[in-house]
Amino acid sequence: MKTLIKIIFALFITVTVLDPAAAQTKKSDKQAAKAAAIKQMVESKNFTFEANYAHPSYGNMRYLTPGYDVRVVKDTVVSYLPFFGVSYSGAGYSSGDEGIKFTSTDFTYSEELKKNGLYYVLIKPKDSKNASQLIFNISPSGTADLTVLSNNRERMRFSGNIIEKKK
């Protein structure tokens, strides 16, 4: 009877010790797969940035309803983002009605992998009046920040996620 208790106790200890290690390996494998997918999307210019929050230059961070995004494909960038802030030409304060909405087929695209594992992606649309630069900082896990610079507006920053291009 004592031997049976010792065997059951040994099995319990083995399962308790090995199960978290297996879970950690699975989590690590998922993270590596996600990082590889992000790398492939960035390098192939084929991803969608889904904006979850807007960070205006002045004021509080704003939660965004679903549907605001920037889609990047090899030859086109499509931006559908809101704008909260000051416009330097025109009426002054913008209520966000105009947004940062454009389609560009004439742009430069560069990416750089930083030492901390973040991708730095710079897109410079040449045929958009709403944005002169889109600056992405993309983590291997898919979270991302986007800063939009314009010639006639305050900069806007957004945070969200990188996902595979929507069909």
Side-chain angles (χ1 to χ4, degrees):
M1 183 70 172
K2 285 185 178 184
T3 307
L4 182 61
I5 292 174
K6 287 180 182 180
I7 292 172
I8 292 173
F9 182 72
L11 285 173
F12 176 75
I13 294 297
T14 303
V15 169
T16 306
V17 170
L18 292 181
D19 192 46
Q24 192 68 16
T25 301
K26 287 178 187 176
K27 183 178 179 182
S28 169
D29 291 346
K30 278 186 174 182
Q31 289 172 339
K34 181 69 174 180
I38 294 296
K39 176 182 181 192
Q40 191 275 328
M41 285 186 272
V42 168
E43 291 178 353
S44 67
K45 300 183 206 175
N46 190 10
F47 64 87
T48 298
F49 168 77
E50 285 189 333
N52 298 325
Y53 293 93
H55 306 269
S57 294
Y58 301 102
N60 294 328
M61 172 178 69
R62 297 178 186 211
Y63 173 75
L64 300 176
T65 56
Y68 290 109
D69 62 13
V70 175
R71 292 182 304 261
V72 178
V73 292
K74 198 162 210 61
D75 60 355
T76 307
V77 175
V78 178
S79 174
Y80 184 77
L81 296 170
F83 177 74
F84 309 101
V86 176
S87 176
Y88 301 125
S89 62
Y93 179 77
S94 172
S95 64
D97 293 340
E98 296 173 26
I100 305 168
K101 300 171 184 158
F102 65 89
T103 299
S104 175
T105 56
D106 184 14
F107 61 92
T108 61
Y109 180 100
S110 63
E111 89 260 350
E112 179 184 350
L113 180 60
K114 298 290 188 177
K115 288 181 183 178
N116 58 4
L118 293 177
Y119 277 97
Y120 174 84
V121 175
L122 176 62
I123 299 174
K124 293 183 177 182
K126 298 175 185 175
D127 55 355
S128 170
K129 66 177 182 171
N130 287 332
S132 61
Q133 293 183 27
L134 304 173
I135 304 164
F136 292 92
N137 286 296
I138 304 169
S139 77
S141 68
T143 60
D145 280 337
L146 165 63
T147 300
V148 179
L149 302 179
S150 175
N151 293 327
N152 59 358
R153 293 179 172 178
E154 287 183 315
R155 76 166 175 84
M156 277 288 298
R157 190 172 70 82
F158 300 89
S159 56
N161 297 298
I162 297 296
I163 60 169
E164 287 190 60
K165 180 181 73 76
K166 292 181 180 178
K167 306 289 184 223

